[in-house]
Amino acid sequence: MTATLERPPVTPVPPPASRKRLRRNDTAGPLAYVLLGITALVFLVPFYYMIVAASRPMAEMNRTPPPLTPGPDLWSNVVKAIDSQDIGLALVNSTIVSGVITVSTVLLCTLAGFAFAKLRFRGRAALFGVALGTMMIPPSLGVVPLYALMANLGLAGELSSVILPSLVAAFGVFFMRQYLIQTLPDELLDAAKVDGATSLRTFWSIVLPVARPGMAVLAMLTFMTAWNDFFWPVITLNSSNPTVQVALNNLGSGYVPDTSVIMAGTLVGTLPVIVVFLLLGRQIVGGIIAGAVKG
Amino acid sequence: MPTTLRPAPGVRTPPRAGTPWRTRLFQVEERTAPYAYIAPFFLLFAAFGLFPLVYTAWISLHSYKLGSDMEWLGLDNYTWLLSNPEFYNALWKTVTIGVLSTVPQLAIALGLAHLLNYRMRGRTFFRVSMIMPYATSVAAAALVFAQLFGRDAGAVNWLLGIVGVDAVDWRNGDWTAQVAISVIVIWRWTGYNALIYLAGMQSISQDLYEAAALDGASRWQQFRHVTLPGLRPTILFTIVVSTIGASQLFGEPLIFGGGKPDGGALGQYQTLGLFMYQQGWTYGSLGRAATVAWVTFLLIIVLVLVNTRLAKRRASK
């Protein structure tokens, strides 16, 4: 802290003047546009490269300089990618895995978030602390016994081995708690109580409708995370029953390093998330900001 | 134990026997329901989080291959690990790649967040495009960048060629491979961190800026003396998360190396994550893999403590 901040204002300054000056002060100048424009370009170019490479034969991609516009071979490259790794099956698998995880996570996290946000019970603060603390545990630490556990249950290689450990997430509990504290008025809950509703009834007919926008954001974030999960699926699944990420890993490590086919597979595996993002990017960004740890 | 609970005679208590069963049911529900709502989280965590965590320590004391019995070794795995040059190599690479990726990432994110906080046209477009890489999977990002960093036809070398720099063999060089992997990490995570910082910036009171502006503080001074101190907890949070993320680095070097866990011919980008994977799933020695996991975990704790200590000291200067 500097002395300038601690000095009390000597004379009261008329607020309108200072407001105006401040507003001008937080409007972007040309430099901000240039810097952000360059960054946006850097962040988006790899996507563009993916499209260009996926739509041209490999021979053209190996030329110097590389082509800068999309070509006509997208479809044939996609077909080759789907043939070399079973990307169709991978897409179905990833949809199942991400779908189940999303539904379960959103429901269970809303339930737990509701309890932590609005219900009074013994040990609430301590239990919430424990729930938050679990976020600090690196996932790779438990991978060896988790793998042994799944193998003993006969689930190694099965989709359920990917689904089970992700059915609920501490981040979601935290996120829904924040959301419900901010959006669910206590009066509404009191009214339901006076009317004799059980807490489950209250949850169903009052909390769920109020929580819907928050649940939608959590659903998108969860789906994205589940779709992109790499570490555990690569360990537990094999190439005969892959998720998209496992299939992409196999595609990249195959014996035929055909750049264009690899990029076509990558494009197909990434497209679902990209489409979701283009449609709902604003909400997702808002959700990440809302879920961020503040002050 | 009804006797101990019975209140002293003469004290008015809510009638027990006379209470309609519905009301009593209601009370029981009210008391137990919260636990039922949080139970799924804790049960699932116990089964798939806590149990594996604790059991890893136990496994690390054994020789253990899948399908065979565990054989007690005591601390043998640990002495094996600590006298293994490959472990120190992996540890060193994890640290260097971690520093190369985390420091620029957070610095750029801070600047970006400051820019994204401005009132401007197309703000949503900029925010969404910053975060697009976060939506990409490790696999997709690493595959694209592996092509971009190709030696003969990679776009990066082509661009370097334009400014007169000779083609770089990114994958086979020691530092170049580490730089390339760091670039993947930076590309994927910078925008995400920028959004976290943005959230922190928006929770800083406008009054502080107003006061600073009244005192004639320039934009840069406002950033240094209002924004940075206000962001301290957020910065600490991102440092902790990035430290953990960096120590777990796995997907990027695996795919960059074409799916092989050796991290290049000389292990030039073999991280601890790859080393663990190699022990457990290439060589089938799960006991040793568990040992690597535990040592990594202890290192993470130490690193997080050191980092937060340092960041706190810097901030209070």
Side-chain angles (χ1 to χ4, degrees):
Chain A
M1 286 293 151
T2 53
T4 44
L5 287 180
E6 285 151 11
R7 193 192 307 152
V10 185
T11 44
V13 178
S18 72
R19 280 273 149 70
K20 202 175 273 172
R21 195 171 61 170
L22 222 109
R23 195 157 299 156
R24 223 183 304 137
N25 205 20
D26 70 350
T27 306
L31 184 63
Y33 282 100
V34 171
L35 288 177
L36 279 178
I38 292 173
T39 323
L41 200 67
V42 170
F43 280 172
L44 295 179
V45 154
F47 292 105
Y48 184 70
Y49 173 82
M50 203 194 286
I51 296 171
V52 172
S55 61
R56 284 178 177 274
M58 187 177 119
E60 286 182 29
M61 289 316 292
N62 284 343
R63 222 181 276 148
T64 315
L68 297 176
T69 52
D73 287 344
L74 181 61
W75 185 244
S76 65
N77 283 333
V78 166
V79 170
K80 268 188 235 162
I82 290 177
D83 282 346
S84 81
Q85 288 293 323
D86 203 340
I87 294 204
L89 174 67
L91 282 170
V92 173
N93 279 346
S94 276
T95 308
I96 295 172
V97 167
S98 311
V100 174
I101 287 176
T102 301
V103 171
S104 155
T105 301
V106 169
L107 269 181
L108 294 179
C109 289
T110 310
L111 209 54
F114 166 55
F116 280 127
K118 294 292 176 177
L119 301 179
R120 310 267 165 270
F121 57 95
R122 242 167 198 276
R124 184 173 77 157
L127 286 170
F128 185 65
V130 172
L132 272 192
T134 63
M135 279 205 271
M136 297 292 289
I137 298 172
S140 68
L141 185 57
V143 152
V144 174
L146 201 56
Y147 182 71
L149 179 75
M150 292 303 174
N152 285 336
L153 292 172
L155 297 179
E158 302 287 328
L159 294 185
S160 46
S161 69
V162 180
I163 294 173
L164 280 173
S166 300
L167 283 175
V168 71
F171 165 77
V173 175
F174 175 74
F175 181 85
M176 286 318 295
R177 175 179 171 271
Q178 291 290 97
Y179 188 82
L180 288 173
I181 285 179
Q182 280 166 18
T183 53
L184 187 64
D186 287 333
E187 293 78 25
L188 215 56
L189 298 175
D190 291 340
K193 210 169 173 184
V194 170
D195 286 347
T198 63
S199 68
L200 196 61
R201 179 73 208 271
T202 312
F203 178 76
W204 197 253
S205 23
I206 293 178
V207 179
L208 276 187
V210 172
R212 202 167 290 157
M215 290 167 79
V217 171
L218 179 62
M220 290 181 295
L221 291 175
T222 307
F223 191 89
M224 245 165 57
T225 311
W227 186 273
N228 288 336
D229 194 14
F230 184 78
F231 186 61
W232 173 240
V234 161
I235 286 177
T236 185
L237 296 181
N238 49 49
S239 52
S240 65
N241 192 28
T243 58
V244 167
Q245 308 311 326
V246 179
L248 289 185
N249 180 40
N250 293 333
L251 199 62
S253 54
Y255 287 105
V256 198
D258 185 326
T259 315
S260 299
V261 174
I262 292 175
M263 285 300 110
T266 312
L267 185 65
V268 172
T270 313
L271 212 55
V273 184
I274 301 295
V275 169
V276 169
F277 224 83
L278 290 179
L279 293 175
L280 304 166
R282 185 197 289 256
Q283 278 91 325
I284 296 176
V285 166
I288 292 171
I289 292 184
V293 173
K294 293 188 190 177
Chain B
M1 286 177 284
T3 39
T4 50
L5 289 175
R6 191 169 293 161
V11 178
R12 253 193 78 98
T13 50
R16 286 180 63 199
T19 316
W21 65 272
R22 273 189 66 114
T23 313
R24 252 190 295 158
L25 204 69
F26 192 77
Q27 283 166 350
V28 170
E29 207 262 2
E30 199 185 353
R31 236 177 309 125
T32 54
Y35 298 106
Y37 298 165
I38 60 173
F41 171 78
F42 284 101
L43 289 177
L44 284 166
F45 170 71
F48 300 111
L50 191 62
F51 161 72
L53 177 82
V54 175
Y55 201 48
T56 304
W58 182 242
I59 290 181
S60 75
L61 301 174
H62 294 78
S63 163
Y64 178 41
K65 287 180 189 269
L66 207 65
S68 67
D69 286 335
M70 297 207 321
E71 190 187 319
W72 175 259
L73 284 182
L75 291 175
D76 282 8
N77 280 335
Y78 288 87
T79 47
W80 162 80
L81 186 71
L82 295 177
S83 59
N84 188 337
E86 283 177 39
F87 164 69
Y88 290 102
N89 175 62
L91 179 59
W92 176 241
K93 300 305 176 189
T94 307
V95 171
T96 52
I97 298 177
V99 171
L100 280 174
S101 59
T102 308
V103 174
Q105 180 194 140
L106 295 183
I108 299 169
L110 200 56
L112 278 181
H114 186 68
L115 294 176
L116 289 171
N117 205 12
Y118 282 134
R119 205 179 283 275
M120 66 189 328
R121 278 167 189 277
R123 194 155 81 160
T124 307
F125 164 77
F126 285 124
R127 287 184 181 180
V128 172
S129 57
M130 300 291 142
I131 194 75
M132 281 285 276
Y134 167 74
T136 323
S137 65
V138 179
L143 284 173
V144 171
F145 277 90
Q147 305 300 338
L148 292 175
F149 280 111
R151 188 190 59 191
D152 297 323
V156 173
N157 276 349
W158 172 64
L159 282 175
L160 286 178
I162 292 179
V163 289
V165 179
D166 286 342
V168 177
D169 189 356
W170 293 95
R171 198 180 308 221
N172 290 321
D174 184 358
W175 285 100
T176 53
Q178 297 182 53
V179 168
I181 288 167
S182 303
V183 167
I184 306 175
V185 178
I186 293 170
W187 180 76
R188 270 190 80 218
W189 289 101
T190 301
Y192 174 82
N193 282 306
L195 282 198
I196 305 274
Y197 287 148
L198 182 62
M201 283 178 186
Q202 290 181 343
S203 68
I204 298 174
S205 160
Q206 274 299 314
D207 297 349
L208 286 176
Y209 289 100
E210 222 156 303
L214 285 182
D215 282 340
S218 68
R219 275 187 183 187
W220 171 243
Q221 283 169 324
Q222 288 181 28
F223 181 74
R224 271 208 60 189
H225 299 299
V226 182
T227 308
L228 278 187
L231 274 184
R232 221 174 90 181
T234 318
I235 293 176
L236 270 181
F237 169 78
T238 55
I239 288 177
V240 170
V241 171
S242 310
T243 306
I244 295 177
S247 56
Q248 310 261 310
L249 208 62
F250 172 76
E252 290 88 346
L254 182 74
I255 295 176
F256 188 75
K260 277 180 278 176
D262 55 10
L266 302 167
Q268 65 266 32
Y269 49 91
Q270 189 181 47
T271 58
L272 284 173
L274 282 190
F275 184 61
M276 183 193 92
Y277 179 77
Q278 189 182 29
Q279 294 304 324
W281 283 271
T282 308
Y283 303 150
S285 179
L286 290 171
R288 286 180 172 179
T291 311
V292 179
W294 255 98
V295 171
T296 309
F297 183 52
L298 295 179
L299 287 170
I300 290 173
I301 294 176
V302 172
L303 253 178
V304 166
L305 286 179
V306 169
N307 266 344
T308 46
R309 193 62 59 83
L310 279 179
K312 272 184 185 151
R313 186 182 297 172
R314 274 209 93 151
S316 62
K317 246 183 203 168

